[in-house]
Amino acid sequence: THAFYQSVLDTLKYNNTNENPGDQNRQIALNCTDDKTVNSVSKVTYIDIQIIPVNDAPVVDLNSPFQPGTDFAVTFEDPGVPPQLVSDDLTIADPDSGLLSKCTLTIEVVYDSTN
C-alpha cells in the first residue's frame, strides 16, 4: 500500500562510519515503480546530504591500552633512580588523522615544606 511505502521511506537514515569522511555532499536518487506497463516509473527525485566533518581530538593514553584509565603515576624516592614518566606502551592516536601538529608536556611542580 502507499502507507506501507511511506512508512518505509520515513525510516531512511544516512550513516557514514568513516572517521574521516570527505566534505563533499552525498546524493541519493529515489524513484518508485508500480505494476503497470505504461508510465510505471516515477520521476527520479534526489535527497541531498550535506557532510560537515567533525574533528575528533587526539587521544593520549599514558599507561597503555592494557590498563584502565589513561593517566600514569610514579613514585620518586630520592635519591633513587629517576622514575619513568610514562608506560613503555603509551599510545597517542587520532581517529580521523594520521598527523599530529604538536604535543605539549607541562610539568607542575609541587614542593613540600622541607625543600
Side-chain angles (χ1 to χ4, degrees):
T1 66
H2 291 92
F4 172 76
Y5 285 106
Q6 180 65 43
S7 68
V8 170
L9 292 174
D10 287 342
T11 66
L12 289 178
K13 295 182 180 187
Y14 178 81
N15 182 26
N16 188 332
T17 58
N18 186 335
E19 280 293 338
N20 194 18
D23 62 357
Q24 62 274 20
N25 291 344
R26 312 301 196 266
Q27 190 175 67
I28 298 172
L30 174 70
N31 70 330
C32 295
T33 305
D34 64 21
D35 61 352
K36 307 294 184 206
T37 56
V38 178
N39 296 326
S40 63
V41 179
S42 72
K43 175 184 161 202
V44 175
T45 57
Y46 296 94
I47 302 165
D48 292 316
I49 301 170
Q50 181 183 11
I51 304 298
I52 302 173
V54 175
N55 183 26
D56 295 318
V59 177
V60 178
D61 188 347
L62 298 177
N63 70 358
S64 90
F66 311 111
Q67 301 294 323
T70 57
D71 296 333
F72 189 79
V74 298
T75 301
F76 178 70
E77 296 179 11
D78 192 39
V81 177
Q84 183 173 342
L85 297 181
V86 296
S87 166
D88 288 333
D89 296 320
L90 111 99
T91 58
I92 300 174
D94 192 340
D96 57 10
S97 175
L99 302 173
L100 291 173
S101 60
K102 71 178 180 178
C103 290
T104 303
L105 172 67
T106 303
I107 299 176
E108 296 179 4
V109 180
V110 178
Y111 292 102
D112 61 28
S113 61
T114 61
N115 287 331

